[in-house]
């Protein structure tokens, strides 16, 4: 069985409210709250970055797990805002934590990163290759957003979450997993410039907004309303349980309307969903572990509970698991 020995999270101190955004953008608190459920988000201080947020969250997860950094033998960072294009950020985190020369790598599945990372970590632990995996989801979208684009910048915030996973003896407790992607929708969420397709030094005429995060919100919304309930229903069926058997749903905090729609469509009482979108907005890879850590610390999850973790986003990529909490 895969046990989550400890969880931790970190958010920057600075709060950016919808009222703050009203001062620089043609938007309103009422519009943002009604369309998204978001009231405020956190913004990293100039000296902070994805690595520093990760280290802070990881330290809390290790403390909760009562595991020394020296006993971590695999570290996975899920992020789409690594500190550098090259090299990856996970080795820097492992070094700063004092984990020694362990395997450490970045995994980018945008907002679905953490749930993809969970599947990779659980698989590697189940295989017996590693014993203690530190899995971190961390993103600093404030650095890649176009703060003049009201269609996207109002949605996101910065944060990090981490969990320490360990394989222990006992019956398998991951009851179901279900992952998918659809690259035909890749352009709906993208930073067009800066990759190998259109490098910064390209001779093409580069529009300033193409250097930043861009999203076709309506297309993404339509995709989620179609694919995510189907994924949730497949998970419930694969786990051979009824939707009423779920004790907690730790869902990607992208939009309260998406959560409401999925809850209704899948006949899961909304009270089962842990919701903190109002405080943090969409923190991408950090969204699920940040919600999970808050739920655990508030005593909302106990041994034996059936817990769903579910994420979705750029790629397009989506998926999740149902596990029995041990
Ligand atoms: N403030 C005020 N008005 C805004 C606005 C803002 N921040 N952003 C857009 N608008 C306007 C639009 O210009 C449009 O005006 P018009 O009717 O005069 O053309 C109107 O509000 C409606 O815009 P629309 O895009 O249809 O809104 P929506 O109900 O689809 O909500 C999102 C927009 C982005 C909140 C919604 O599409 C969404 O949540 N999509 C999914 C995004 C997501 O989850 N992405 C991350 C996936 S990991």
């Amino acid at each position: 069985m895969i046990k989550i020995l400890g969880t931790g999270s970190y958010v920057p101190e600075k709060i950016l409210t919808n009222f703050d955004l009203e001062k620089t953008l043609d938007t309103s608190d009422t519009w943002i709250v009604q369309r998204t459920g978001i009231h405020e988000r956190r913004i990293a201080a100039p000296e902070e970055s994805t690595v520093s947020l990760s280290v802070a969250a990881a330290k809390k997860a290790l403390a909760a797990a009562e595991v020394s950094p020296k006993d971590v033998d695999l570290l996975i960072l899920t992020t789409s805002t690594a500190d550098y294009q090259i090299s990856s950020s996970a080795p820097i985190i492992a070094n700063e934590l004092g984990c020694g020369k362990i395997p450490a790598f970045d995994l980018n599945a945008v907002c679905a990163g953490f749930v993809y990372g969970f599947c990779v970590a659980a698989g590697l632990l189940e295989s017996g290759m590693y014993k203690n995996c530190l899995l971190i989801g961390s993103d600093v979208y404030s650095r890649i957003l176009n703060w003049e684009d009201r269609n996207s910048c109002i949605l996101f915030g910065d944060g990090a979450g981490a969990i320490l996973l360990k394989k222990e003896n006992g019956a398998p407790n991951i009851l179901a997993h279900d992952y998918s992607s659809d690259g035909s929708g890749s352009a709906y969420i993208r930073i067009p410039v800066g990759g190998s397709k259109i490098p910064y030094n390209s001779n093409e005429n580069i529009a300033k907004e193409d250097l930043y995060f861009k999203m076709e919100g309506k297309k993404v919304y339509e995709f989620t309303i179609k694919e995510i309930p189907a994924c949730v229903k497949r998970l419930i069926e694969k786990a051979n349980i009824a939707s009423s058997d779920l004790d907690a749903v730790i869902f990607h905090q992208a939009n309260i309307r998406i959560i409401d729609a999925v809850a209704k469509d899948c006949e899961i009482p909304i009270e089962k969903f842990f919701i903190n979108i109002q405080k943090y907005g969409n923190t991408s890879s950090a969204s699920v572990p940040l919600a999970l850590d808050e739920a655990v610390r508030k005593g909302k999850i106990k041994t034996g509970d059936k817990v769903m973790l579910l994420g979705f986003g750029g790629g397009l990529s989506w998926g999740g698991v149902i596990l029995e909490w041990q």
Side-chain angles (χ1 to χ4, degrees), residues 27 31 35 111 150-151 215 217-218 252 254-255 257 312-313:
T27 190
W31 192 96
R35 303 285 176 125
C111 293
R150 68 176 184 172
N151 293 303
M215 184 183 66
K218 247 193 166 39
H252 179 37
N255 188 323
R257 284 156 60 207
F312 54 86

Side-chain angles (χ1 to χ4, degrees), residues 25-28 31-32 35-36 111 150-151 154-156 189 213 215-221 224 252 254-255 257-258 282 312-314:
L25 276 176
D26 180 14
T27 190
S28 69
W31 192 96
I32 299 173
R35 303 285 176 125
T36 72
C111 293
R150 68 176 184 172
N151 293 303
I154 56 137
L155 297 170
F156 295 91
I189 295 177
F213 179 93
M215 184 183 66
E216 289 190 43
K218 247 193 166 39
K219 297 269 195 208
V220 176
Y221 193 85
T224 55
H252 179 37
N255 188 323
R257 284 156 60 207
I258 295 174
N282 180 346
F312 54 86

Side-chain angles (χ1 to χ4, degrees), residues 15-18 29 37-42 156 276-281:
I15 296 173
L16 184 71
T17 66
N18 295 344
D29 174 64
I38 301 165
H39 291 251
E40 57 189 45
R41 68 287 290 142
R42 300 300 178 104
F156 295 91
N276 62 6
I277 190 174
Q278 67 284 2
K279 295 190 288 182
Y280 306 126

Side-chain angles (χ1 to χ4, degrees), residues 228-245:
I228 304 309
C231 175
V232 168
K233 287 174 191 170
R234 280 196 302 273
L235 276 169
I236 290 169
E237 196 184 322
K238 285 181 186 176
N240 202 17
I241 60 171
S243 55
S244 55
D245 294 330

Side-chain angles (χ1 to χ4, degrees), residues 17-282:
T17 66
N18 295 344
F19 297 106
D20 295 328
L21 286 171
E22 280 182 358
K23 293 177 196 151
T24 54
L25 276 176
D26 180 14
T27 190
S28 69
D29 174 64
T30 311
W31 192 96
I32 299 173
V33 171
Q34 278 177 359
R35 303 285 176 125
T36 72
I38 301 165
H39 291 251
E40 57 189 45
R41 68 287 290 142
R42 300 300 178 104
I43 303 293
E47 68 277 12
E48 290 184 312
S49 68
T50 294
V51 164
S52 69
L53 267 57
S54 302
V55 168
K59 282 182 177 168
K60 291 184 190 168
L62 289 169
E66 297 179 0
V67 167
S68 157
K70 292 191 171 48
D71 292 326
V72 173
D73 58 358
L74 174 66
L75 189 150
I76 303 173
L77 168 70
T78 69
T79 187
S80 44
T81 53
D83 273 25
Y84 307 101
Q85 284 270 20
I86 288 178
S87 288
S88 58
S89 291
I92 310 174
I93 297 165
N95 184 53
E96 289 194 12
L97 289 171
C99 296
K101 293 175 182 166
I102 58 164
F105 61 92
D106 294 4
L107 183 159
N108 182 355
V110 199
C111 293
F114 185 82
V115 291
Y116 265 69
F118 186 90
C119 182
V120 173
L124 288 169
L125 291 173
E126 283 291 5
S127 78
M129 285 176 77
Y130 302 101
K131 289 187 177 64
N132 292 309
C133 174
L134 185 55
L135 173 64
I136 305 165
S138 178
D139 269 306
V140 180
Y141 267 44
S142 63
R143 302 271 158 77
I144 60 163
L145 292 170
N146 176 355
W147 287 100
E148 290 170 7
D149 176 15
R150 68 176 184 172
N151 293 303
S152 59
C153 74
I154 56 137
L155 297 170
F156 295 91
D158 302 335
I163 61 175
L164 195 285
L165 298 115
K166 187 180 180 65
K167 184 187 174 183
E168 292 198 343
N169 291 331
N173 64 327
I174 296 180
L175 308 181
H177 59 89
D178 191 276
Y179 289 85
S180 302
S181 74
D182 180 1
S184 71
S186 156
Y188 299 161
I189 295 177
R190 181 172 278 176
I191 299 178
V193 169
S196 63
K197 185 89 172 166
I198 311 176
Y200 292 119
N201 60 1
S202 158
N203 288 328
E204 285 182 40
N205 246 346
I206 292 175
K208 186 174 162 251
E209 60 267 25
D210 285 349
L211 295 166
Y212 296 98
F213 179 93
K214 283 178 106 171
M215 184 183 66
E216 289 190 43
K218 247 193 166 39
K219 297 269 195 208
V220 176
Y221 193 85
E222 284 160 13
F223 139 72
T224 55
I225 292 307
K226 179 166 167 263
E227 296 290 356
I228 304 309
C231 175
V232 168
K233 287 174 191 170
R234 280 196 302 273
L235 276 169
I236 290 169
E237 196 184 322
K238 285 181 186 176
N240 202 17
I241 60 171
S243 55
S244 55
D245 294 330
L246 281 170
D247 297 292
V249 183
I250 310 295
F251 203 81
H252 179 37
Q253 310 284 306
N255 188 323
I256 195 70
R257 284 156 60 207
I258 295 174
I259 294 178
D260 282 338
V262 171
K264 222 169 260 147
D265 191 343
C266 300
E267 296 178 349
I268 304 170
I270 191 72
E271 304 75 50
K272 300 274 176 87
F273 288 73
F274 187 83
I275 294 167
N276 62 6
I277 190 174
Q278 67 284 2
K279 295 190 288 182
Y280 306 126
N282 180 346

